[in-house]
């Protein structure tokens, strides 16, 4: 019943990394526009234009994904943006989808240890056994593998 408010074009809205990242900053807690911009810069090591951030926040607000309250920050009054429950649910869905993408992206780099069967993404150990290069997670698995073959 409550799900019907989900806009159809939400995927267009969050079609690029910058917007996705703004959401992850908001997911961590309420933030004002300027702090979103500075956190983005600090973490992504890239400038983000206020002309992207503010209209995006406004769009999110119009869709009921974000609300704001005006609070004094230092000498200024600032709009503090916060995800609504719907906004948090959207983030959870996006994170799941993003996790799947990451899994797909790293899949070709994953190999399985010929001895213990664990998945290895980085590092690992390779040894040529009977003219074939065989991949293991570590030299101990390679040794056990040779031991088993005897
Ligand atoms: Zn192993």
């Amino acid at each position: 019943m409550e799900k019907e408010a989900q806009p159809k074009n939400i995927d267009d809205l969050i079609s690029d990394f910058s917007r996705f990242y703004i959401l992850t900053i908001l997911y961590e807690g309420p933030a004002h526009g300027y702090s979103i911009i500075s956190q983005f810069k600090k973490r992504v090591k890239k400038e983000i234009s206020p002309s992207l951030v503010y209209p995006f926040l406004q769009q999110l607000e119009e869709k009921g994904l974000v609300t704001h309250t005006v609070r004094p920050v230092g000498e200024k009054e600032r709009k503090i943006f916060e995800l609504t429950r719907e906004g948090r649910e959207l983030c959870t869905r996006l994170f799941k989808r993003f996790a799947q993408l990451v899994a797909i992206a790293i899949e070709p780099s994953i190999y399985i240890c010929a001895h213990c069967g664990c998945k290895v993404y980085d590092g690992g150990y390779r040894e040529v056994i009977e003219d074939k290069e065989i991949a293991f997670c570590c030299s101990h698995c390679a040794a056990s593998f040779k031991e088993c073959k005897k």
Side-chain angles (χ1 to χ4, degrees), residues 113 116 118 137 141:
C113 172
C116 73
C118 73
C137 62
C141 269

Side-chain angles (χ1 to χ4, degrees), residues 112-118 120 135-138 140-142:
I112 290 163
C113 172
H115 180 65
C116 73
C118 73
V120 183
F136 301 96
C137 62
C138 60
H140 307 289
C141 269

Side-chain angles (χ1 to χ4, degrees), residues 21-80:
Y21 210 90
I22 292 170
L23 280 174
T24 69
I25 291 169
L26 283 170
Y27 191 79
E28 289 172 9
H32 53 77
Y34 177 73
S35 91
I36 291 173
I37 291 168
S38 59
Q39 280 187 66
F40 187 95
K41 194 177 160 185
K42 205 161 82 188
R43 297 195 210 167
V44 185
K45 314 268 183 259
K46 210 183 109 186
E47 297 280 346
I48 188 169
S49 167
S51 66
L52 188 149
V53 175
Y54 290 101
F56 180 58
L57 288 169
Q58 200 184 328
Q59 283 174 303
L60 289 172
E61 189 155 20
E62 282 163 11
K63 291 179 191 304
L65 301 166
V66 157
T67 54
H68 81 263
T69 46
V70 178
R71 272 182 249 161
V73 175
E75 310 226 313
K76 279 186 169 178
E77 296 252 289
R78 287 194 191 274
K79 282 184 178 180
I80 312 284

